[in-house]
């Protein structure tokens, strides 16, 4: 998988005993702490997460949808769960939608483009992530509410 190959160097730097897996077990649902995460095809409500991409220089968390969950075996025979996440695109300047949430950063809501990126990011379950809720704002825009303020598990 191309996304895994692109993330290999960063995974090797962050995961002890990392080696490129030759096989994996695909899963539809994964429980982390007390929260269930699922692939987008099975449960749209449990597939939306804020996460920090391995690739990139920013510490900012971005929203995305879980496309695949794969459990792989490491060199020491322990199992590592990998999430393949398709990030949502920020609205940027190409839209004329006014973001009323920009004036209330403490609210934890923001506007994002409905269209997701073409790329997939790889995230391990030990990395910071937490769920979000979303509602349609316009045909092209969704409101995303960070649920970390509701969940004690992933602060």
């Amino acid at each position: 998988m191309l996304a895994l190959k692109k993330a290999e160097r960063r995974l090797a730097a962050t995961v002890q005993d990392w080696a490129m897996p030759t096989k994996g077990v695909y899963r539809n649902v994964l429980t982390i702490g007390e929260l269930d995460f699922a692939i987008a095809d099975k449960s749209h409500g449990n597939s939306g997460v804020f996460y920090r991409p391995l690739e990139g220089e920013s510490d900012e968390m971005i929203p995305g949808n879980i496309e695949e969950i794969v459990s792989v075996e490491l060199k020491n025979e322990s199992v590592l769960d990998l999430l393949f996440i398709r990030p949502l695109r920020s609205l940027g300047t190409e839209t004329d939608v006014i973001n009323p949430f920009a004036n209330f950063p403490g609210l934890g809501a923001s506007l994002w483009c409905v269209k997701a990126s073409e790329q997939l990011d790889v995230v391990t379950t030990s990395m910071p992530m937490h769920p979000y809720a979303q509602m349609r704002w316009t045909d092209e825009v969704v409101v995303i509410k960070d649920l970390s303020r509701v969940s004690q598990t992933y602060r």
Side-chain angles (χ1 to χ4, degrees), residues 3 6 51 53 55 62 85-87 89 116-121:
K6 285 176 65 176
Y51 69 101
E55 300 297 321
I62 62 171
I85 302 174
R86 189 167 312 280
R89 295 180 179 157
S117 172
E118 295 297 318
Q119 75 181 32
L120 280 175
D121 290 332

Side-chain angles (χ1 to χ4, degrees), residues 65-122:
N65 293 309
I66 300 170
E67 295 287 320
E68 293 180 353
I69 301 170
V70 182
S71 297
V72 297
E73 192 172 297
L74 299 176
K75 287 191 278 189
N76 66 5
E77 297 184 4
S78 65
V79 174
L80 176 69
D81 294 311
L82 299 173
L83 304 176
F84 292 81
I85 302 174
R86 189 167 312 280
L88 296 180
R89 295 180 179 157
S90 64
L91 282 180
T93 57
E94 70 276 357
T95 181
D96 59 354
V97 175
I98 297 172
N99 183 359
F101 305 105
N103 296 327
F104 306 98
L107 185 62
S110 55
L111 296 180
W112 290 82
C113 185
V114 171
K115 295 178 185 169
S117 172
E118 295 297 318
Q119 75 181 32
L120 280 175
D121 290 332
V122 180

